[in-house]
């Protein structure tokens, strides 16, 4: 049984979808005005792993991830100017061009780290009618009021406002007031109130629409409410996001959607923690960001980043260091070489203890999926993956691994990779890849050291190969042989 931590109930809960066969999942998507950094990408990998787990359990997942191309203001507290409009002005381009440019880069990054493409990626600017319909409903029910700059949602009128944060309306307002650095926006009744529609100023020509309240553009929160319910219905299974969205964006989504329909909108709220650098959130404003391109330029394969993300639990902060990324790159390479070596097993010996070996592999596979069922305990699941590799390597070292066993391990590894997304399939049938140049060089250097009787250096190289590359050397009569462990 899959258990997930639900931010709404503040505890782990068994996952039961509304329909037996289908899961509706809405993921807050990109605001397409900048290059994604690897903190942002962690969030999308979290979503991707959840989706793969659900698919592995046989559900058809309708994964909707929006593209925000208008309405997301510079501050998440819904103040300042539209991020896309600002960027368009700065670059002297249209908002549409800015959105198209950055969306393409995002999607390329997603492909490079094996994030499955969402089933739908609706753009905010193409769903404004639905947003206006929702605003109309809220207006009819008396939740809205007009100010000089827009139409606001009165959060004091929504019963249970703030439920997601564990605080009620009053407590949330008081805590925000205590920490407020800015004056309440003119005309706003409560500090938690937010705009569902913003009025355009005269210089705005692009991305503005007519409405009963005047020419303007939608607020960021109403976009997600309207798009999620348009594609998944007014009551759906899962909504995902980063932890920074709990207090404002998702709290406001719940208020609008539920005020409009009178029904609970989402059963499970799934939030991922931050990627941090030296104890601080990786973010553009702190100037401590790396993009995927930076990582690639430093010589790391993109999937090393994916494996690095998987090394932490999604609900815990993960500290980014190049050292940790190097470890992930080495581990990734070790798994790929392992997949290749499984192809090369030739022995057809009939092993009497084959069923014992297969049982051990099956037990680790079961433990892998059981760990994932426990609120996606990926670090534990990865330990099971490594146990499979190590048990198989020991058997090979004993000279026992036969072809049929190797095939069965390959199948198991490929099944685990349906969740991990680390390209094991590309190596399963591949010819042996030439050793990385640096490894070849090290092996040669060790040979030279041995010939020169510099055994200290030879031993040191043996250790580096083992610890960094998981390569174990054996000196045989036919020369030096290597295997991956
Ligand atoms: P933003 O552009 O800041 O709204 O972020 C887009 C998405 O990335 C949101 O879902 C954030 O929760 C998430 N995000 C931003 N920074 C980080 C970070 N350092 N670690 C993990 N997720 C992040
Ligand atoms: Zn959203």
């Amino acid at each position: 049984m899959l258990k997930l931590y639900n931010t709404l109930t503040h505890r782990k809960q068994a996952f039961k979808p509304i329909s037996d066969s289908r899961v509706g999942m809405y993921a807050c998507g990109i605001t397409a005005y900048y290059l994604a950094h690897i903190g942002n990408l962690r969030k999308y990998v979290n979503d991707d792993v959840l989706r793969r787990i659900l698919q592995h359990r046989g559900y058809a997942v309708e994964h909707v991830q929006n593209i925000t191309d208008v309405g997301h203001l510079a501050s998440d507290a819904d103040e300042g100017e539209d991020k896309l409009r600002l960027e368009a002005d700065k670059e002297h381009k249209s908002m549409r061009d800015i959105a198209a440019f950055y969306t393409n880069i995002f999607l390329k990054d997603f492909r490079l780290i094996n994030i499955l493409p969402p089933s739908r990626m609706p753009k905010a600017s193409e769903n404004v009618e639905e947003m206006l319909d929702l605003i109309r409903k809220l207006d009819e029910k008396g939740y809205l009021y007009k100010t000089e700059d827009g139409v606001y949602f009165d959060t004091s009128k929504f019963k249970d406002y703030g439920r997601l944060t564990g605080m009620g309306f009053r407590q949330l307002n008081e805590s925000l007031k205590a920490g407020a650095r800015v004056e309440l926006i003119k005309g706003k009744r409560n500090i938690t109130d937010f705009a569902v529609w913003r009025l355009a100023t005269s210089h705005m020509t692009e991305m503005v629409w007519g409405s009963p309240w005047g020419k303007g553009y939608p607020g960021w929160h109403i976009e997600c409410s309207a798009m999620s319910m348009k594609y998944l219905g007014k009551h759906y299974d899962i909504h995902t996001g980063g932890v920074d969205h709990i207090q404002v964006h998702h709290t406001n989504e719940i208020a609008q959607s539920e005020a409009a329909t009178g029904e609970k909108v989402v059963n499970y709220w799934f939030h991922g923690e931050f990627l941090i650098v030296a104890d601080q959130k990786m973010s553009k404003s702190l100037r401590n960001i790396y993009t995927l391109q930076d990582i690639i330029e430093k010589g790391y394969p993109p999937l090393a980043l994916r494996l690095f993300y998987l090394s932490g639990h999604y609900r815990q902060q993960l500290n980014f260091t190049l050292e940790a990324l190097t470890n992930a790159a080495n581990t990734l390479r070790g798994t790929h070489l392992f997949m290749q070596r499984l192809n090369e097993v030739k022995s057809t010996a009939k092993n009497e203890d084959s069923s014992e070996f297969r049982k051990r592999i099956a037990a680790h596979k079961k433990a892998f999926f059981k760990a994932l069922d426990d609120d996606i305990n990926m670090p534990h699941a990865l330990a099971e993956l490594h146990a499979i590799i190590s048990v198989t390597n020991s058997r090979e070292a004993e000279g026992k691994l036969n072809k049929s066993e190797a095939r069965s391990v390959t199948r198991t590894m490929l099944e685990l990779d349906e969740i991990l997304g680390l390209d094991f399939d590309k190596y399963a049938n591949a010819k042996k890849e030439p050793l990385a140049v640096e490894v070849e060089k090290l092996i040669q250097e060790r040979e030279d050291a041995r010939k020169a009787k510099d055994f200290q250096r030879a031993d040191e190289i043996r250790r580096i190969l083992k610890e960094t590359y998981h390569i174990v050397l054996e000196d045989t009569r036919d020369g030096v042989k290597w295997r991956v462990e």
Side-chain angles (χ1 to χ4, degrees):
M1 184 209 296
L2 173 62
K3 281 190 172 175
L4 293 176
Y5 182 86
N6 186 353
T7 312
L8 190 64
T9 55
H10 315 292
R11 63 186 171 85
K12 278 193 219 172
Q13 271 181 284
F15 176 71
K16 279 204 203 77
I18 297 165
S19 130
D20 284 344
S21 55
R22 183 188 158 272
V23 172
M25 169 168 150
Y26 185 85
C28 279
I30 59 178
T31 302
Y33 77 105
Y34 69 124
L35 290 176
H37 58 68
I38 59 171
N40 302 129
L41 291 177
R42 180 183 188 201
K43 184 263 172 196
Y44 298 103
V45 169
N46 286 340
D47 292 351
D48 183 61
V49 167
L50 172 61
R51 170 179 168 179
R52 286 167 178 264
I53 290 173
L54 293 166
Q55 290 186 171
H56 183 262
R57 296 181 77 88
Y59 296 118
V61 180
E62 181 73 8
H63 174 193
V64 179
Q65 184 179 293
N66 68 297
I67 295 169
T68 298
D69 52 1
V70 62
H72 193 166
L73 302 196
S75 138
D76 274 6
D78 224 8
E79 287 150 25
E81 278 198 68
D82 189 314
K83 292 180 179 185
L84 263 119
R85 218 178 287 279
L86 278 172
E87 193 61 29
D89 285 349
K90 202 166 91 194
E91 294 192 31
H92 304 293
K93 291 195 178 131
S94 71
M95 290 168 78
R96 284 197 166 75
D97 284 350
I98 294 287
F101 178 78
Y102 287 108
T103 300
N104 279 338
I105 299 181
F106 265 110
L107 296 181
K108 192 171 138 240
D109 283 358
F110 285 4
R111 277 194 298 277
L112 285 170
I113 51 172
N114 283 351
I115 293 175
L116 299 173
S119 331
R120 284 174 195 274
M121 284 198 279
K123 284 189 196 146
S125 63
E126 290 173 2
N127 291 277
V128 176
E129 263 324 300
E130 286 75 4
M131 296 168 202
L132 286 170
D133 281 347
L134 195 57
I135 299 171
R136 238 174 255 125
K137 268 191 207 130
L138 293 171
D139 201 21
E140 279 161 21
K141 294 192 172 192
Y143 283 99
L144 306 182
Y145 61 92
K146 207 171 161 192
T147 70
E148 267 175 27
D149 71 346
V151 182
Y152 281 76
F153 185 101
D154 185 341
T155 51
S156 70
K157 294 199 170 153
F158 180 68
K159 191 172 138 294
D160 266 1
Y161 183 82
R163 189 169 62 216
L164 204 57
T165 65
M167 289 190 259
F169 167 78
R170 198 177 301 272
Q171 205 186 346
L172 199 50
N173 264 266
E174 266 155 28
S175 84
L176 285 172
K177 262 187 228 151
R181 281 165 299 161
V182 283
E183 290 289 306
L184 193 64
I185 292 181
K186 204 168 153 210
K188 243 169 92 162
R189 294 181 188 161
N190 307 290
I191 204 163
T192 45
D193 292 359
F194 56 92
V196 292
W197 188 254
R198 291 186 175 275
L199 296 174
T201 54
S202 54
H203 76 276
M204 290 180 190
T205 50
E206 203 194 352
M207 297 269 193
V208 284
W209 292 264
S211 88
W213 304 275
K215 207 163 137 188
Y217 57 98
W220 175 42
H221 317 305
I222 201 82
E223 297 179 356
C224 283
S225 282
M227 287 187 276
S228 61
M229 294 199 290
K230 173 175 176 183
Y231 293 107
L232 298 172
K234 54 190 179 179
H235 181 200
Y236 57 94
D237 297 298
I238 304 178
H239 193 311
T240 74
V243 284
D244 54 335
H245 287 165
I246 297 173
Q247 184 168 318
V248 180
H249 186 46
H250 292 164
T251 288
N252 293 344
E253 270 193 56
I254 293 178
Q256 299 162 139
S257 303
E258 299 193 357
T261 67
E263 277 184 44
K264 178 179 183 178
V265 59
V266 170
N267 283 352
Y268 301 87
W269 285 88
F270 176 87
H271 289 107
E273 254 296 352
F274 283 143
L275 184 77
I276 55 166
V277 192
D279 292 328
Q280 284 187 304
K281 174 187 171 186
M282 180 172 284
S283 80
K284 210 178 161 199
S285 54
L286 293 171
R287 295 173 191 275
N288 60 359
I289 60 172
Y290 278 97
T291 63
L292 182 56
Q293 200 50 43
D294 295 333
I295 299 291
I296 294 169
E297 277 164 21
K298 283 189 180 300
Y300 295 96
L303 290 184
L305 182 65
R306 185 174 171 105
L307 181 56
F308 164 68
Y309 292 142
L310 301 182
S311 70
H313 191 278
Y314 79 94
R315 279 199 300 118
Q316 278 169 3
Q317 293 192 339
L318 183 63
N319 193 27
F320 177 75
T321 60
L322 286 177
E323 199 188 353
L325 192 60
T326 304
N327 286 339
N330 291 333
T331 308
L332 179 72
R333 183 159 176 81
T335 58
H336 289 164
L337 291 174
F338 175 72
M339 293 306 292
Q340 287 178 350
R341 282 188 14 260
L342 289 173
N343 294 332
E344 289 156 14
V345 174
K346 299 247 162 26
S347 156
T348 50
K350 286 203 164 55
N351 292 327
E352 278 181 10
D353 59 352
S354 194
S355 76
E356 207 45 52
F357 169 72
R358 286 167 200 265
K359 261 191 220 154
R360 284 188 73 188
I361 299 295
H364 287 302
K365 172 178 146 183
K366 199 169 160 202
F368 174 93
F369 285 104
K370 201 164 163 226
L372 295 180
D373 278 354
D374 180 17
D375 194 29
I376 318 189
N377 189 340
M378 189 56 90
H380 183 166
L382 286 181
E384 299 298 339
L385 168 87
H386 291 301
I388 290 175
I389 296 176
S390 138
V391 167
T392 309
N393 279 339
S394 305
R395 189 161 181 84
E396 196 188 15
E398 285 167 22
K400 279 190 168 172
L401 189 68
N402 70 25
K403 215 170 167 172
S404 150
E405 290 165 355
R407 252 199 229 123
S408 136
V409 176
T410 297
R411 273 196 300 273
T412 302
M413 292 289 283
L414 292 180
E415 189 175 344
L416 306 197
D417 203 43
E418 286 175 28
I419 313 288
L420 301 172
L422 295 173
D423 277 356
F424 290 173
D425 56 334
K426 293 211 175 124
Y427 295 82
N429 298 308
K431 293 238 159 26
K432 187 163 164 180
E433 202 191 50
L435 278 178
V437 181
E438 72 265 31
V439 174
E440 267 176 2
K441 265 203 219 136
L442 282 168
I443 293 180
Q444 189 53 52
E445 200 186 326
R446 177 174 168 271
E447 281 299 279
D448 295 345
R450 269 160 38 94
K451 277 192 200 125
K453 300 209 179 324
D454 182 354
F455 296 114
Q456 200 180 343
R457 176 69 187 145
D459 284 349
E460 191 186 4
I461 293 174
R462 180 193 279 275
R463 186 184 55 75
I464 294 173
L465 284 168
K466 178 147 198 300
E467 286 175 8
T468 311
Y469 297 94
H470 305 273
I471 287 179
V472 177
L473 299 182
E474 271 173 65
D475 297 308
T476 70
R477 249 179 285 157
D478 305 331
V480 60
K481 292 236 160 94
W482 59 270
R483 64 190 157 81
V484 181
E485 233 171 34

